[in-house]
Amino acid sequence: MKYKGHSHNFTLGLGITVFMVALILLGFLWTPYEPDAMQGSLKLNAPSILHLFGTDQFGRDIFSRVLVGAGSTLVIAAGTILIGGLAGVALGAVCGYFGGWLDEGVMRVCDALAAFPSVLLALVIISIAGSGKYKVMVALGIAFIPSFARIVRGEFMRLREADFVIGARLIGVPTPRILFVHILPNILPSLLSSLAIGFNNAALAEAGLSYLGIGVQPPDASLGRMLSESQTYLASGVWCAAFPGVFLVLLVLGVGLLGEGILDRFGGGR
Amino acid sequence: MKYVIKKILGLIITLLIVSMLTFFAFELIPGDPARSILGTDGTLEQVQALREEMGLNRPLPQRYGEWVFNFLHGDMGNSYYYQKSVQDLIGDRIPITVAMTILSFSMILVLSVAVSIFSVRYANRLFDRIFLIVDQIMMSVPPFFIGIIFTAVFGLTLHWFTPGGYVSYEKDVGGFIGYLILPSLAIALPRAAMAAKLLRSSLLDEMQKDYVRTAYSRGNGPWRVLLHHVLKNGILPVITFLGMTAADIIANSIVVEQVFGIPGVGRMLISSISKRDYPVVEAIIVLIAVVTLVMNILVDALYKKLDKRIEVI
Amino acid sequence: MLDVERLSIHFEDRGRREEAVKNVSFQLADGKILGIVGESGSGKTMTALTIAGLKKQRAVIDGGSVCLDGVDLLTLDDAQMRSVQGARIGMIFQEPMSALNPTMKIGKQLEEVLVLHAKLSKEERRNKVFAAMEDVELENPRELYEKYPHELSGGMRQRAMLAAAIVCRPKLLIADEPTTALDVQTQDGILGLLKKLNQKYGMSILFISHNLRVVEKLCGRVLVMKSGEVVEEGSVEAIFGNPQTEYTRELIAAIPDACGKNWKDGATVEQDEAVAEEIAVWQGEAVADENAMEKDVLEPKKVLEVCHLNAYYREGRVRRQILQDVSFTLHEGEIVGLVGGSGSGKTTLCKCVLGLLKEYDGVVIHHTKRPQMVFQDPYGSLNPRKTIGWILEEPLKVQGGFSKEERRRKAEEMLERVHLPKEFYKRYPKELSGGQRQRVSIATALMTGTKFILADEPLSALDVTVQAQMIELLKELQEKEKICYLFVSHDLDVVHLLCDRVLKVEGKTVTSMYG
């Protein structure tokens, strides 16, 4: 019943995502103020023309800090889905298409890993390997492999018995070509949308870990840490919490809508 | 019966893998626990003696075996940091986390079912459209940010509760539950939004099925079709999601406990990670994994009970 | 009793208006059976659903009336209509499995009608349900009451549907393709039951079907519909004996009527024609190498040999034998039917022939390139993300050695050979109809250069007139290109019409049935 071809979710999601990502990329090159520069005279100033999002308890410009912090989030989330996505697609495709003992074994381990909520798995890895931007990225990436592998495996299992795949086998198409040229394009919409969901989960997980103080470490700015610090000044400086939070929500909302939109527009599975 | 045995075997194997992964992962950590307990002041002899006392000099597989054996007998080892056994440390924290999980789970169930039924009954009408927008936004907000908003609005502005004023269940059960409502809701909202969205689309799918037409052809009204015929079938595909929700609630409670200053298992876990108090970390992680796995099995059983067709397979 | 007057309905779809039913009028008298026939898209189901008050929201009624005992159903509000549905109009549908609620006990589903329409005690309701079950000849009603739909056979499910439809003794029963999803024997049972209920309770029946043979058996009057309009109406004898319109004649001609006749005669005639054609070719060409030609005709080349084939199905450690000592040979230019009930090993045999099954011993020799397959479901057999051109070129890419231009030229030639326009090269499968997709499937098979195609129920998903066109194409390719088909089907009529000989899979072995 889905109307394919046009989707409000897609348009709106793409719009928000492009805007937010452009803003964050801008933050890599230029910020209005030095994100770590403290100004004693400007402690907890409300938002103004000079400081769009106000200043924090040390007089730092929140807008600049939000841009840089969101930059960490973006890098970590993107890295996570790159690691998790690549490994997950490879594992899932092979397991789903061939089945057998390999599938049995890999999925057993995936089941065991899935018994941990992915944040918890990341926590374990971090508590072993230590915290920091790239360690968090790798930890989350590994933690996300099982979920991607499961999705991809399910799709490949569904399609390996599809008539057009059997037809391709009868023609004599080599197996790698069947996997990646015949089948993969058919699961692209659902893969992309699960990558979008994965991106969001990673972004939220990173923010959570940083909030707990075991994610991104100073001097790297992070939205989670800003939120955690803001709690002390919630009564006198609501903006310290509001802007980092809303910024994160907008990024996640945009990507989430985009993921939905991809499914609406290009159709997923059945 | 064969199915039950198969499931239980699967559970045991998975638990073994989980426990091995956890145990050996923490063995891989560079650094000597005995050294970290004694600090830099300890002499080499003292460290050696402590290692012997803690059993660190025995071979790995043997230690793993002992750890599992003791764990099964309720002995989770001793904390490096506190001079207490792990089960004593986390024992009185477990009820807090469990209460929060149950509260959250009920909220998710009630909210998502109620909202999605109305949304499907009035599909594409005003209620449904507003629901879709609010739902999508709700899904994007991390629970701890909702917690901060709650603190700002209900705590600091409306003074409905005192932020950080946790009430122990040993003193006042009513106050304890009252204090847990907002944190539980903070955890529940994003997850309920996801569940409602899935449920809505599952119910809409069901509405297209032939048996719905049959039901109408017998003179059923729209509400009756929805509640008597569609709801039970439509909830089936969402049950798996609801099962995974338990794990998600626990994971999020780790962060939300921090926001509201609740001394639950999650806070213990975080503080133990920063103190490198590994026996505590190991125990909590294995416990969470057990809860998650058992939840999955229960969900599976529930699914089978509801969907009679599965027995055939 | 039922009086439909100038009923018109259209769909509103993305701003496009689509007329579904145009000015349809008919009457159904008390105690009579009226059949409505037509192909998919003829508006017959739309008409039936509208009478029952079940039309989709997208469908808009433009005008007309549907009077049941003098009351125009179209003017009733929802609550009033609900008191008619189930009580005065009963309805059964095509797929009894999906039409029953999968998670509700059969008994509860039957009882529901009484809960909604009659004020009875629990005990009275139960007794009425049991009585209705006996009416539709369901045995052990008490046991069945507690069962779920998936525990019943297809025929029993349809009987249960019927029991629910008649438990309130409606005056009108609407049956929308009720026998289509059932096998022939069960079909006859349901038809007999409808006739019995019609006579016993004087219940009028509106019978919707695309199957003219079934309609002929059951109905007193017939209404033929095409693209939303009534083409012809009359008594069964008049419609079948003396059809007035071209379309009705086409429909009747498309009924594979071999069953009644002795099909051996038909085959002989065809063979004669084929021989005559061959002779014509010889004379025209004045061949030099007459001997070779002659040999070719007398001993057609083999394409497939199966010798002493045993096939197994492995489930865990248990190995079950599916086929035992199967031997047969297929030749070029021959259409061989493969029939057998479900579970007889038809599919296993096909998999062996195609090399998709490893669990077998014996010999399968192909004297041609890879065997190719045409599938039942035209919607699953073409990769939905690729263009028709890409799909057709894939066999050439696998073989290698063709330039881009050559591949395109060959693909376009192939489209012409299966009578599709060249422009389809750039289309996607979703833009094609079912019949067109099946043509693309055949074309893809031919691109490999094979002489042997295994066709697994390739016509069963198609409308009858499209079926006829496909049969023509298959025969044309058989004659022109000497393609051999192994034609798997449960539709004996089509098999008899199309095939030179038939292989029957039964009791693990294959027997040959010539004419």
Side-chain angles (χ1 to χ4, degrees):
Chain A
M1 290 304 285
K2 243 177 215 165
Y3 179 63
K4 307 238 160 113
H6 177 81
S7 149
H8 290 296
N9 282 345
F10 186 78
T11 322
L12 193 62
L14 191 67
I16 297 179
T17 309
V18 167
F19 178 73
M20 297 304 286
V21 170
L23 214 54
I24 294 169
L25 292 179
L26 173 76
F28 284 120
L29 304 171
W30 173 84
T31 50
Y33 296 86
E34 196 57 36
D36 296 324
M38 304 184 197
Q39 274 188 282
S41 55
L42 289 173
K43 278 179 192 170
L44 289 174
N45 275 17
S48 64
I49 298 288
L50 286 175
H51 297 277
L52 278 180
F53 290 180
T55 58
D56 68 3
Q57 68 276 19
F58 297 116
R60 295 176 294 193
D61 178 48
I62 293 180
F63 182 59
S64 305
R65 289 182 66 73
V66 163
L67 286 189
V68 175
S72 305
T73 306
L74 183 72
V75 168
I76 288 173
T80 300
I81 60 169
L82 198 68
I83 297 170
L86 281 179
V89 166
L91 271 178
V94 170
C95 288
Y97 188 77
F98 293 106
W101 59 266
L102 176 79
D103 177 43
E104 190 72 24
V106 172
M107 280 305 129
R108 223 354 122 213
V109 176
C110 277
D111 276 349
L113 288 177
F116 302 99
S118 50
V119 176
L120 198 68
L121 195 59
L123 266 181
V124 175
I125 301 174
I126 288 167
S127 65
I128 292 164
S131 48
K133 200 160 154 181
Y134 295 103
K135 283 177 183 160
V136 170
M137 185 169 98
V138 174
L140 285 173
I142 294 172
F144 277 49
I145 293 174
S147 66
F148 285 123
R150 279 167 161 234
I151 291 164
V152 174
R153 170 180 176 266
E155 295 281 308
F156 269 81
M157 267 175 85
R158 180 170 67 78
L159 287 177
R160 90 178 155 194
E161 298 299 332
D163 289 347
F164 73 87
V165 174
I166 295 179
R169 276 161 70 191
L170 290 174
I171 290 173
V173 181
T175 306
R177 191 172 159 87
I178 289 185
L179 285 182
F180 298 108
V181 180
H182 286 251
I183 299 182
L184 194 61
N186 281 288
I187 72 161
L188 220 47
S190 49
L191 179 64
L192 284 178
S193 81
S194 54
L195 283 178
I197 294 170
F199 178 94
N200 281 347
N201 286 340
L204 294 178
E206 181 274 323
L209 291 175
S210 300
Y211 176 88
L212 294 173
I214 48 178
V216 175
Q217 297 297 312
D220 283 336
S222 84
L223 297 176
R225 183 166 284 272
M226 289 175 76
L227 280 168
S228 140
E229 285 166 1
S230 74
Q231 249 187 298
T232 326
Y233 308 96
L234 212 48
S236 46
V238 174
W239 54 88
C240 296
F243 286 109
V246 170
F247 203 88
L248 178 66
V249 170
L250 275 179
L251 178 66
V252 170
L253 180 65
V255 176
L257 283 172
L258 188 60
E260 292 270 324
I262 289 171
L263 277 190
D264 290 354
R265 190 163 170 167
F266 303 105
R270 293 262 134 139
Chain B
M1 199 58 213
K2 203 175 152 195
Y3 171 84
V4 175
I5 294 171
K6 207 175 154 190
K7 274 280 152 190
I8 289 176
L9 268 177
L11 173 72
I12 292 171
I13 294 174
T14 313
L15 274 179
L16 271 178
I17 300 178
V18 167
S19 64
M20 271 186 222
L21 284 177
T22 318
F23 185 81
F24 293 113
F26 282 97
E27 287 301 325
L28 284 176
I29 304 168
D32 187 343
R35 168 61 76 188
S36 50
I37 289 171
L38 290 168
T40 37
D41 307 337
T43 63
L44 206 63
E45 288 74 42
Q46 281 175 310
V47 170
Q48 265 311 319
L50 191 61
R51 280 187 67 88
E52 194 59 46
E53 191 193 316
M54 290 166 75
L56 290 177
N57 289 335
R58 277 171 287 165
L60 252 181
Q62 189 190 343
R63 277 165 49 213
Y64 170 72
E66 283 168 8
W67 180 65
V68 170
F69 181 84
N70 290 336
F71 206 99
L72 289 176
H73 288 79
D75 176 8
M76 303 178 187
N78 289 311
S79 157
Y80 294 165
Y81 186 83
Y82 304 96
Q83 302 310 313
K84 266 172 128 182
S85 70
V86 175
Q87 58 268 33
D88 285 349
L89 265 178
I90 58 179
D92 51 354
R93 288 162 184 269
I94 286 177
I96 302 171
T97 305
V98 167
M100 239 165 86
T101 309
I102 292 173
L103 266 178
S104 264
F105 194 81
S106 336
M107 287 174 181
I108 291 170
L109 207 61
V110 171
L111 279 176
S112 60
V113 170
V115 171
S116 60
I117 282 181
F118 272 93
S119 169
V120 168
R121 174 66 187 89
Y122 301 108
N124 292 322
R125 308 256 278 277
L126 188 66
F127 178 87
D128 188 36
R129 284 168 197 277
I130 293 175
F131 157 76
L132 282 175
I133 296 167
V134 174
D135 197 67
Q136 192 71 38
I137 295 173
M138 220 31 128
M139 276 165 55
S140 312
V141 190
F144 68 91
F145 187 51
I146 299 183
I148 293 174
I149 296 172
F150 281 175
T151 312
V153 175
F154 298 116
L156 300 176
T157 312
L158 297 172
H159 300 287
W160 287 4
F161 77 106
T162 323
Y166 165 77
V167 185
S168 165
Y169 60 93
E170 281 152 335
K171 283 188 195 140
D172 173 7
V173 175
F176 166 71
I177 292 180
Y179 190 79
L180 288 189
I181 284 180
L182 283 176
S184 305
L185 189 61
I187 299 173
L189 279 176
R191 202 67 182 174
M194 279 178 230
K197 189 177 190 101
L198 287 176
L199 198 52
R200 175 183 176 273
S201 73
S202 165
L203 289 174
L204 282 178
D205 280 353
E206 286 296 318
M207 290 296 278
Q208 302 298 327
K209 297 247 172 97
D210 286 354
Y211 71 83
V212 172
R213 195 173 57 181
T214 310
Y216 277 119
S217 84
R218 290 174 187 160
N220 282 289
W223 276 113
R224 215 187 126 90
V225 167
L226 200 52
L227 296 174
H228 280 247
H229 290 269
V230 172
L231 185 58
K232 194 173 165 192
N233 289 296
I235 228 169
L236 283 174
V238 186
I239 282 182
T240 325
F241 174 84
L242 288 174
M244 294 187 297
T245 293
D248 186 78
I249 293 174
I250 295 173
N252 278 313
S253 73
I254 298 172
V255 193
V256 171
E257 279 173 13
Q258 203 79 11
V259 179
F260 287 89
I262 299 167
V265 175
R267 275 190 105 182
M268 188 80 218
L269 177 65
I270 297 303
S271 73
S272 302
I273 286 179
S274 36
K275 288 183 186 114
R276 303 191 161 259
D277 194 352
Y278 296 129
V280 182
V281 178
E282 278 173 13
I284 293 178
I285 282 168
V286 171
L287 276 182
I288 293 179
V290 169
V291 171
T292 315
L293 285 168
V294 170
M295 276 303 286
N296 285 349
I297 296 228
L298 286 181
V299 163
D300 226 56
L302 180 68
Y303 196 102
K304 282 175 81 76
K305 184 150 174 55
L306 286 177
D307 192 350
K308 308 289 175 191
R309 284 163 297 182
I310 292 183
E311 278 169 324
V312 185
I313 300 161
Chain C
M1 182 202 64
L2 176 70
D3 190 351
V4 176
E5 199 68 53
R6 286 205 299 284
L7 182 66
S8 294
I9 304 168
H10 78 272
F11 282 113
E12 204 75 75
D13 199 11
R14 292 169 227 168
R16 243 189 30 225
R17 209 182 136 96
E18 206 176 307
E19 307 288 338
V21 176
K22 293 175 225 164
N23 253 326
V24 168
S25 302
F26 61 85
Q27 280 94 35
L28 171 57
D30 258 329
K32 294 281 190 271
I33 306 181
L34 173 69
I36 301 184
V37 296
E39 298 183 271
S40 53
S42 63
K44 57 185 190 316
T45 297
M46 195 69 237
T47 308
L49 291 178
T50 307
I51 296 169
L54 296 171
K55 66 168 189 61
K56 293 247 165 67
Q57 274 178 347
R58 289 186 301 129
V60 185
I61 296 174
D62 295 324
S65 62
V66 176
C67 291
L68 184 68
D69 289 335
V71 181
D72 186 358
L73 299 179
L74 299 182
T75 61
L76 298 182
D77 65 24
D78 287 355
Q80 288 169 325
M81 190 64 208
R82 283 204 288 276
S83 68
V84 174
Q85 291 168 327
R88 289 166 61 202
I89 302 178
M91 186 151 186
I92 58 175
F93 302 93
Q94 176 168 358
E95 269 293 345
M97 182 62 198
S98 58
L100 287 165
N101 186 340
T103 56
M104 203 189 235
K105 284 177 185 167
I106 293 288
K108 290 275 168 222
Q109 302 198 40
L110 296 189
E111 219 177 299
E112 186 180 38
V113 196
L114 294 168
V115 172
L116 289 165
H117 296 292
K119 285 197 171 60
L120 297 172
S121 73
K122 211 172 168 180
E123 204 47 46
E124 287 169 321
R125 280 205 303 265
R126 272 188 155 243
N127 288 333
K128 280 211 165 208
V129 166
F130 293 144
M133 283 175 160
E134 268 159 29
D135 266 341
V136 299
E137 294 163 14
L138 279 169
E139 282 160 24
N140 297 331
R142 264 158 221 284
E143 231 170 82
L144 276 178
Y145 189 96
E146 301 292 330
K147 297 230 157 131
Y148 289 91
H150 72 268
E151 298 172 284
L152 274 56
S153 72
M156 283 161 85
R157 283 181 208 132
Q158 195 59 292
R159 277 165 203 264
M161 276 297 290
L162 193 54
I166 62 154
V167 71
C168 273
R169 293 288 144 70
K171 294 192 68 179
L172 172 64
L173 177 71
I174 300 176
D176 183 10
E177 304 258 8
T179 58
T180 309
L182 307 170
D183 62 57
V184 182
Q185 281 169 356
T186 324
Q187 268 185 18
D188 287 343
I190 298 286
L191 292 178
L193 208 53
L194 287 173
K195 197 121 209 174
K196 188 188 102 181
L197 291 168
N198 167 255
Q199 280 157 4
K200 189 169 171 189
Y201 299 118
M203 191 175 347
S204 310
I205 299 177
L206 186 61
F207 188 86
I208 319 292
S209 181
H210 74 278
N211 187 331
L212 278 87
R213 171 117 27 78
V214 171
V215 170
E216 192 181 6
K217 271 188 207 164
L218 183 72
C219 303
R221 288 184 73 77
V222 184
L223 195 71
V224 182
M225 283 184 76
K226 190 197 176 192
S227 349
E229 283 173 299
V230 176
V231 176
E232 198 169 346
E233 192 194 345
S235 67
V236 172
E237 295 78 22
I239 294 279
F240 285 86
N242 183 19
Q244 296 299 309
T245 59
E246 187 53 38
Y247 182 68
T248 312
R249 273 196 285 275
E250 247 176 72
L251 276 183
I252 294 174
I255 309 177
D257 56 354
C259 258
K261 286 191 221 157
N262 182 354
W263 80 289
K264 220 172 185 176
D265 294 346
T268 328
V269 173
E270 273 158 29
Q271 263 170 18
D272 288 350
E273 272 170 16
V275 170
E277 219 168 278
E278 295 263 10
I279 292 169
V281 173
W282 284 2
Q283 286 169 344
E285 280 187 26
V287 265
D289 194 0
E290 229 167 90
N291 285 339
M293 266 294 199
E294 206 161 16
K295 203 180 163 201
D296 222 33
V297 174
L298 293 177
E299 261 178 69
K301 270 196 219 152
K302 290 175 185 168
V303 290
L304 172 76
E305 277 178 274
V306 175
C307 301
H308 307 297
L309 176 79
N310 294 298
Y312 310 92
Y313 177 72
R314 188 176 283 282
E315 198 176 342
R317 234 168 294 159
V318 192
R319 200 164 93 140
R320 211 147 50 80
Q321 182 152 22
I322 307 288
L323 296 172
Q324 193 170 23
D325 199 23
V326 171
S327 302
F328 61 89
T329 310
L330 300 182
H331 301 94
E332 246 182 36
E334 172 174 58
I335 306 187
V336 178
L338 183 66
V339 298
S342 56
S344 63
K346 251 184 336 186
T347 315
T348 309
L349 180 59
C350 292
K351 280 186 175 170
C352 283
V353 166
L354 292 170
L356 293 173
L357 192 79
K358 296 281 171 274
E359 296 278 329
Y360 75 92
D361 51 58
V363 187
V364 177
I365 307 170
H366 291 285
H367 294 282
T368 170
K369 296 220 175 114
R370 299 170 170 283
Q372 293 300 310
M373 185 163 173
V374 176
F375 297 88
Q376 175 175 16
D377 175 15
Y379 294 88
S381 53
L382 303 177
N383 193 331
R385 300 261 161 213
K386 306 288 183 186
T387 61
I388 302 302
W390 190 94
I391 293 170
L392 287 174
E393 286 180 13
E394 189 67 0
L396 301 180
K397 283 186 201 152
V398 171
Q399 283 168 34
F402 294 95
S403 72
K404 213 176 155 199
E405 290 73 34
E406 267 180 299
R407 287 204 304 261
R408 177 163 187 154
R409 189 175 49 75
K410 279 179 176 281
E412 284 176 347
E413 277 172 20
M414 187 55 78
L415 282 171
E416 282 178 354
R417 267 159 78 189
V418 297
H419 307 297
L420 288 174
K422 263 201 242 174
E423 293 72 53
F424 276 33
Y425 185 87
K426 288 206 174 109
R427 300 262 178 95
Y428 282 91
K430 65 169 182 232
E431 300 168 62
L432 272 58
S433 72
Q436 288 168 339
R437 291 177 203 221
Q438 289 303 58
R439 282 167 193 265
V440 174
S441 280
I442 294 171
T444 316
L446 294 178
M447 284 304 269
T448 63
T450 189
K451 289 273 180 235
F452 173 51
I453 294 178
L454 194 154
D456 183 10
E457 304 260 9
L459 306 179
S460 62
L462 305 175
D463 271 332
V464 276
T465 47
V466 181
Q467 277 192 9
Q469 292 161 12
M470 285 297 294
I471 290 179
E472 229 167 86
L473 175 70
L474 291 173
K475 290 210 142 186
E476 182 188 322
L477 293 169
Q478 171 207 14
E479 280 159 25
K480 273 197 198 158
E481 322 219 350
K482 292 253 174 279
I483 303 293
C484 168
Y485 302 97
L486 184 59
F487 189 88
V488 184
S489 181
H490 73 274
D491 189 341
L492 289 174
D493 300 341
V494 175
V495 169
H496 282 178
L497 188 74
L498 187 65
C499 301
D500 302 321
R501 61 191 171 97
V502 179
L503 299 172
K504 187 171 187 191
V505 190
E506 203 175 26
K508 294 186 186 172
T509 55
V510 170
T511 47
S512 218
M513 319 192 311
Y514 288 86

